Amino acid sequence: MPQETFSSHYDHKKIEHATQQHWERTAAFKAVEDAGKKKYYCLSMFPYPSGKLHMGHVRNYTIGDVLTRYHKMNNYNVMQPMGWDAFGLPAENAAIANKVPPAKWTYDNIAYMKKQLQSLGFAIDWSRELATCKPDYYKWNQWLFLRMLEKDIAYKKTQVVNWDPVDQTVLANEQVIDGRGWRTGAVVEKREIPGYYLAITQYANELLSDLDTLDNWPERVKLMQANWIGKSTGVRFAFRHDIKGDGGELINDGKLWVFTTRADTIMGVTFCAVAAEHPLATHAAKNNPELAAFIEKCKSGSVMEADMATMEKEGMRTGLFVTHPLTNEQIEVWVGNYVLMSYGDGAVMAVPAHDERDFAFAKKYKLRIKPVILPEGLTSAQGQPRTASSAIPMESLWDGDWHPGFATHSELWNSGKYNGLTYEQAIDAVAADLAAKNLGEKKVQWRLRDWGISRQRYWGCPIPIIHCDSCGSVPVPDDQLPVVLPDDCVPDGSGNPLNKLPSFLNCNCPKCNKPARRETDTMDTFVDSSWYYARFACPGNDNAMVDERADYWMTVDQYIGGIEHAILHLLYSRFWTKVMRDLKLVSYREPFSRLLTQGMVLNHLFSRRSDATGIEWFAPEEVDLQHDASGRVTGALAKHDGKPVDYGGFGTMSKSKRNGVDPNAMIEQYGADTCRFFMMFTSPPEQTLEWSDAGIEGSYRFLKRIWAFGNVFANEVRSKLPAARTLASAKLPDDLAALRRETHLLLKQANYDLGKQQFNTVASACMKMLNALEKAPKDSAIAAEVIEECFGILLRVLSPITPHITHALWVELSYGDDILTAPWPEPIEAALVQDEIELVLQVLGKTRGSIKVPASADNKAIEAIAVASETAQRYMEGKPAKKIIVVPGRLVNIVV
RNA sequence: GCCCGGGUGGUGAAAUUGGUAGACACAAGGGACUUAAAAUCCCUCGGCCUCACGGCUGUACCGGUUCGAUUCCGGUCCCGGGCACCA
């Protein structure tokens, strides 16, 4: 291209438009299976089409794009697809607010967000696009669900849900605010309804042990998953009783079963607590109106674990007693609001001396406390344990003076035949004695619970079941799949509109052909996202869920998404993969070989609460901030009415909380390359980011300087380049050798950082390269050659982050036709060598200066140079060196 | 409450995770160029003491290990994420 047409102005719109057209023309990102090439499947978590992109999306997809382009330039056959996690609650909320069908709202959002993604220049193969709300996708959710039913992995049981008594509808946890319904303000009740579950617990062992094979997953994610699965070995045992029900039969065969991980403290049991729904509680409440009222109260409130764990622990006596299996003591039974019927057997033993929660409960209700574990530091040989002031009583009501602690590392005391045993020994002995009486045994308990997938919601994948009065719940036959969701309903907030839609509801029983009723519950949207990565690998197949193309692309080589998905989505996907493997649909055990968990992009949260309207969120641009003296945000006033709003600190950018930042304005003003560069430069990918656009100017300036240097190259450097390059054998003058050395050093560092997936320092390295280039002499042929090499390195290292400007310059400056197909640069060792190195000089660990030593000097020589140096002599004050520490290439420390 | 992260200048951060704390930027202040402005370029920029040379101190807080600690250990505080029906 002639020099005069190379604009001196950095016109990002023109450059980005032209470059994106070039990619489209060359189908640059179309991924084709090629067995002869190493493949790289790079996947970012697909977005929920909430309306518009926010900065978290820009961050996520830029990271994925940088990795995709970096691997493409490293000669991998790359595939980066994109799709839409299109079912979900926000579409129904929008329908309630605007009376638009969720389908229309969703598809409009997809169209808009797709444009936004395209304007950012991501290397996406759009021919693989999918949306989970389309029947050709969710058909396979239904198909696999039916296979799971056949294998007893899917089954039906009751589930506890949040029930809004005014709207007569099930609420999502998000719709429960301070124990009340979000729209009605009514106190939420717990309600038991039937639902379908997937038996993820059947895979608990494998989900736990296979974590060890995920070498390229962040440790913290594996740790969180392991804790979530929560394998613990304990003892399940029974208290005996002779409490009879109305028909004269023994309730639960005369046994009250409990599970404990602390069977070593079984001799310290002073009461039991059962859930409000437990048969013993129900029985006791029959003639006890006060207890019946308490049980009713327990049934109100949220079902969330966090609420359960933080709420005030309350209980009430049942008046019933059970018999301790080892001591035959009579143990009183309480109803506790903190005991969940859905966990274990819905009952717990209580040892107030050694369990924090039981201790608080015993204090509150003045119950007996019996310590059975010695305080730390004591042994049974020392007899009666004491606190500082008095002997610890064998058994007492709490008097506010002593506390035996909750540790497991001391030996038993006050426990009869078990005295002196350790934690492990005691559990073995207790389990053996219980087993001998046929009243208990060791049991592995998992914290993990089966996955309830039924949602009483419209905008989701229909569960393919038909209810028949004669045949019960009948699976929809495969040839009638998919069960298509009508896409023109408008939910109004009072339950699932499918229940009012005869054309959907009414059908015939597949077994007996009598009129029957279609299931109206839909699937949890986590089902949709549990296998989409496999479908990207084989789009368009209407005859199979996955095919042989997936064998080529799977597993996902790099998965990128928010840390907030560390447990649920990633665990469900791993589970789904294992089920598909057992059905012989796929051959791999794990879906994602390498995982990068991006830190969240946070923004200020502002809200206002009222009983009438529930909670109302304000966007940051709708309020004026108030600060305290030190500049911290303390509150805000709404711009439209000047009244205060509550400041909620920082939180994840989300549609529902209205604190997302739309990248459009920024792309419009500065261009995609600047936005991408700024996002990568501003913080490392895994770190939480409190959003601020301060600094975007600097990124823009940098790209302008890159463009300006391109002009310098075209106008001042190119003409000096010799026809035959001599750089490989040339002896360079010092300033050019230094430039070349610095560039290759920075390249080495950038390659190292890319391996670590730390992109902010890669961006820094590019800035440093440009700083060095701008200072370089440009007055000779050899200078032109060094600049040509160094700028070529800079353009390629920068290109995954800012692909448009680097492509344009690469072509303009005749480096090649397409930077995407250029080889990734590697540092040249010869450019890195130096004769002399500088070491830091410390005396007694304090930095006092530096010394220069020949690069070839050994430790002895370095020590001699260090001690002889003027600086060392000054700070050693004539004392002899006691010890000299040499850290090669870094420092010398003289200890006197 | 439980599990997992994080806390370094006015700001975003760096330090190949036991070896020069603050690279690279943003903001601010000063200067050059300009009729002026913008743009661009140069300089200063943790705190305290010092005319300066330089010294002391400093990586949330308290304590420890070490010749040497942002990095390791013990404790505390604060912030973020997850807690199974937001996605």
Side-chain angles (χ1 to χ4, degrees):
Chain A
M1 183 166 289
Q3 284 177 25
E4 56 270 24
T5 63
F6 182 17
S7 164
S8 62
H9 168 65
Y10 171 47
D11 184 344
H12 60 80
K13 280 189 188 153
K14 205 171 109 193
I15 293 164
E16 289 173 6
H17 181 72
T19 305
Q20 286 173 14
Q21 284 203 319
H22 164 78
W23 292 331
E24 202 168 311
R25 223 174 25 243
T26 55
F29 312 129
K30 174 98 181 120
V32 180
E33 296 76 29
D34 178 353
K37 243 177 140 183
K38 246 176 111 174
K39 61 95 184 177
Y40 182 75
Y41 179 4
C42 185
L43 180 68
S44 293
M45 290 180 188
F46 62 166
Y48 176 78
S50 57
K52 49 196 180 182
L53 296 185
H54 57 65
M55 288 300 167
H57 292 125
V58 176
R59 190 185 202 189
N60 197 153
Y61 303 136
T62 304
I63 293 168
D65 203 49
V66 168
L67 288 165
T68 298
R69 289 171 181 274
Y70 172 64
H71 281 83
K72 189 168 178 68
M73 291 174 75
N74 277 285
N75 210 26
Y76 284 84
N77 186 25
V78 302
M79 194 252 283
Q80 181 175 231
M82 184 54 72
W84 308 96
D85 189 12
F87 277 135
L89 196 55
E92 297 195 25
N93 294 345
I96 294 166
N98 309 321
K99 315 234 180 308
V100 196
K104 179 176 170 19
W105 183 85
T106 301
Y107 286 123
D108 287 351
N109 288 347
I110 287 175
Y112 183 77
M113 291 171 75
K114 183 173 177 181
K115 260 196 193 133
Q116 289 191 301
L117 287 173
Q118 287 172 326
S119 75
L120 281 158
F122 295 134
I124 290 167
D125 179 359
W126 284 103
S127 70
R128 295 170 184 269
E129 181 180 4
L130 62 79
T132 56
C133 62
K134 291 193 171 164
D136 62 356
Y137 180 81
Y138 66 68
K139 171 184 176 179
W140 300 106
N141 288 355
Q142 297 172 342
W143 182 81
L144 200 77
F145 173 78
L146 296 174
R147 302 291 83 75
M148 290 189 188
L149 271 179
E150 290 162 5
K151 294 240 170 196
D152 290 329
I153 296 168
Y155 65 94
K156 197 174 184 181
K157 73 168 183 184
T158 60
Q159 53 180 345
V160 183
V161 295
N162 300 306
W163 180 255
D164 186 319
V166 174
D167 262 351
Q168 293 285 300
T169 193
V170 176
L171 297 177
N173 282 340
E174 193 189 52
Q175 297 172 316
V176 179
I177 295 154
D178 293 340
R180 292 168 181 271
W182 66 313
R183 276 164 30 92
T184 63
V187 174
V188 168
E189 297 170 5
K190 292 192 190 87
R191 184 169 275 216
E192 286 205 50
I193 60 170
Y196 284 92
Y197 281 80
L198 303 184
I200 191 171
T201 51
Q202 287 182 22
Y203 289 83
N205 229 332
E206 196 188 338
L207 286 167
L208 182 64
S209 60
D210 278 359
L211 285 175
D212 291 338
T213 68
L214 299 173
D215 295 333
N216 291 309
W217 276 40
E219 283 305 319
R220 64 163 154 160
V221 173
K222 290 192 274 186
L223 193 57
M224 276 193 264
Q225 292 219 347
N227 288 338
W228 183 265
I229 295 166
K231 182 177 185 173
S232 64
T233 307
V235 175
R236 181 174 181 258
F237 70 93
F239 294 85
R240 285 172 290 123
H241 65 77
D242 50 14
I243 302 158
K244 295 191 176 72
D246 291 342
E249 79 293 351
L250 280 173
I251 294 175
N252 287 354
D253 292 334
K255 284 173 182 164
L256 172 62
W257 286 97
V258 299
F259 174 83
T260 179
T261 56
R262 292 298 306 273
D264 58 319
T265 63
I266 195 169
M267 302 303 275
V269 170
T270 57
F271 64 99
C272 284
V274 300
E277 297 85 358
H278 195 278
L280 284 182
T282 312
H283 176 76
K286 273 181 195 146
N287 301 311
N288 184 341
E290 209 187 339
L291 184 61
F294 177 72
I295 289 172
E296 267 317 298
K297 191 181 154 205
C298 290
K299 289 179 181 169
S300 74
S302 142
V303 299
M304 291 159 73
E305 189 193 311
D307 292 338
M308 302 291 293
T310 49
M311 73 186 176
E312 178 74 16
K313 308 292 178 286
E314 289 181 37
M316 191 172 278
R317 292 188 151 85
T318 60
L320 303 174
F321 286 81
V322 292
T323 306
H324 193 291
L326 299 178
T327 65
N328 293 324
E329 258 183 301
Q330 287 302 102
I331 302 292
E332 191 170 14
V333 178
W334 285 64
V335 176
N337 64 349
Y338 59 94
V339 185
L340 291 181
M341 197 58 216
S342 50
Y343 278 112
D345 295 284
V348 295
M349 71 174 201
V351 184
H354 303 292
D355 178 272
E356 197 79 61
R357 190 180 57 191
D358 296 344
F359 181 63
F361 196 86
K363 276 201 301 192
K364 179 167 179 174
Y365 292 107
K366 305 214 168 16
L367 302 175
R368 295 184 303 151
I369 298 178
K370 183 188 174 193
V372 290
I373 307 285
L374 283 169
E376 195 171 357
L378 291 178
T379 64
S380 49
Q382 289 166 294
Q384 176 81 355
R386 306 182 65 84
T387 63
S389 56
S390 60
I392 291 177
M394 303 279 278
E395 181 162 341
S396 71
L397 299 182
W398 190 69
D399 61 6
D401 180 40
W402 61 277
H403 197 299
F406 310 119
T408 58
H409 50 257
S410 283
E411 60 180 84
L412 271 68
W413 164 77
N414 199 17
S415 298
K417 64 182 276 203
Y418 307 112
N419 281 351
L421 297 183
T422 64
Y423 171 71
E424 288 83 6
Q425 293 166 339
I427 287 178
D428 288 344
V430 166
D433 288 347
L434 288 167
K437 297 185 174 195
N438 216 13
L439 283 174
E441 59 187 352
K442 272 198 179 178
K443 194 187 165 198
V444 172
Q445 177 85 1
W446 303 89
R447 212 187 75 90
L448 184 67
R449 312 200 298 260
D450 279 345
W451 174 14
I453 59 158
S454 292
R455 298 290 179 272
Q456 297 67 46
R457 259 175 258 300
Y458 158 68
W459 189 236
C461 168
I463 293 176
I465 294 287
I466 288 166
H467 300 288
C468 170
D469 288 341
S470 320
C471 311
S473 299
V474 182
V476 173
D478 284 1
D479 59 14
Q480 290 174 29
L481 295 183
V483 176
V484 175
L485 184 75
D487 62 6
D488 51 0
C489 290
V490 183
D492 61 6
S494 63
N496 188 341
L498 293 176
N499 282 317
K500 301 164 200 162
L501 198 68
S503 60
F504 180 82
L505 274 177
N506 298 333
C507 58
N508 293 325
C509 172
K511 268 193 189 161
C512 67
N513 210 32
K514 279 189 225 156
R517 188 177 167 280
R518 205 175 278 289
E519 170 68 55
T520 57
D521 279 1
T522 54
M523 293 185 196
D524 180 4
T525 57
F526 274 122
V527 171
D528 309 325
S529 55
S530 285
W531 68 282
Y532 74 107
Y533 46 86
R535 189 67 179 178
F536 274 140
C538 41
N541 190 336
D542 207 29
N543 300 312
M545 191 171 184
V546 289
D547 60 39
E548 68 286 348
R549 290 172 294 171
D551 296 337
Y552 174 76
W553 290 112
M554 287 298 291
T555 59
V556 175
D557 296 281
Q558 177 69 61
Y559 198 33
I560 304 133
I563 183 68
E564 72 272 23
H565 294 294
I567 295 174
L568 292 179
H569 162 61
L570 289 169
L571 190 67
Y572 292 146
S573 296
R574 296 180 60 222
F575 159 66
W576 202 274
T577 295
K578 290 173 192 305
V579 172
M580 286 180 74
R581 178 207 55 198
D582 287 349
L583 290 166
K584 308 270 187 278
L585 295 167
V586 301
S587 54
Y588 45 88
R589 298 172 71 95
E590 289 286 339
F592 313 121
S593 350
R594 183 168 194 153
L595 176 68
L596 188 156
T597 45
Q598 141 188 260
M600 259 152 308
V601 182
L602 311 182
N603 202 358
H604 298 286
L605 288 169
F606 303 99
S607 64
R608 198 181 269 168
R609 275 173 202 204
S610 75
D611 288 344
T613 57
I615 192 157
E616 184 188 2
W617 295 94
F618 290 78
E621 63 270 17
E622 293 170 346
V623 303
D624 291 315
L625 290 176
Q626 296 175 307
H627 304 268
D628 65 11
S630 62
R632 285 171 69 104
V633 179
T634 52
L637 303 174
K639 283 179 181 165
H640 76 278
D641 62 5
K643 290 181 187 153
V645 298
D646 299 328
Y647 177 56
F650 280 94
T652 315
M653 284 191 180
S654 80
K655 170 95 177 171
S656 60
K657 293 175 182 168
R658 306 196 58 235
N659 67 338
V661 174
D662 185 349
N664 265 17
M666 198 173 266
I667 298 170
E668 185 62 26
Q669 187 177 353
Y670 299 105
D673 279 342
T674 299
C675 292
R676 295 168 57 119
F677 185 87
F678 177 61
M679 254 308 168
M680 292 301 93
F681 175 65
T682 199
S683 78
E686 303 210 88
Q687 194 159 305
T688 303
L689 173 64
E690 289 174 4
W691 174 251
S692 157
D693 60 7
I696 182 116
E697 284 284 348
S699 297
Y700 188 54
R701 272 204 288 271
F702 169 66
L703 294 187
K704 281 198 286 190
R705 279 169 56 208
I706 288 274
W707 191 257
F709 194 82
N711 275 272
V712 169
F713 189 99
N715 300 326
E716 298 174 38
V717 175
R718 185 152 52 176
S719 58
K720 298 194 182 79
L721 285 168
R725 305 292 197 264
T726 60
L727 185 55
S729 58
K731 169 81 181 130
L732 297 175
D734 285 354
D735 50 0
L736 290 175
L739 167 65
R740 189 160 186 245
R741 178 163 183 274
E742 179 165 10
T743 303
H744 283 272
L745 266 181
L746 287 166
L747 170 61
K748 197 173 179 180
Q749 181 67 49
N751 284 344
Y752 176 81
D753 289 345
L754 281 161
K756 274 204 304 185
Q757 306 187 329
Q758 180 174 297
F759 309 114
N760 55 328
T761 46
V762 176
S764 286
C766 292
M767 287 176 142
K768 290 175 186 174
M769 283 186 201
L770 182 63
N771 288 347
L773 272 168
E774 284 177 337
K775 292 191 190 95
K778 300 165 188 74
D779 50 4
S780 63
I782 193 67
E785 280 197 60
V786 173
I787 289 172
E788 179 189 44
E789 179 185 278
C790 293
F791 197 48
I793 289 171
L794 167 54
L795 287 177
R796 279 175 290 168
V797 173
L798 188 58
S799 68
I801 302 175
T802 64
H804 308 88
I805 187 175
T806 48
H807 170 82
L809 288 172
W810 189 258
V811 175
E812 292 280 2
L813 303 177
S814 314
Y815 278 104
D817 297 335
D818 192 337
I819 199 168
L820 262 179
T821 56
W824 191 260
E826 290 300 328
I828 296 169
E829 285 304 319
L832 297 175
V833 293
Q834 54 181 349
D835 304 335
E836 219 178 33
I837 54 173
E838 190 166 307
L839 296 180
V840 164
L841 178 61
Q842 293 186 337
V843 179
L844 274 171
K846 281 195 194 277
T847 302
R848 296 301 182 184
S850 62
I851 52 169
K852 284 198 168 148
V853 301
S856 57
D858 61 7
N859 282 7
K860 268 233 149 54
I862 291 172
E863 285 175 23
I865 295 168
V867 172
S869 73
E870 196 195 326
T871 319
Q873 286 302 320
R874 179 146 48 98
Y875 287 95
M876 287 165 73
E877 293 167 341
K879 292 172 213 157
K882 200 164 86 185
K883 188 170 155 193
I884 302 176
I885 295 139
V886 177
V887 182
R890 289 213 181 251
L891 63 66
V892 185
N893 184 14
I894 302 170
V895 184
V896 293

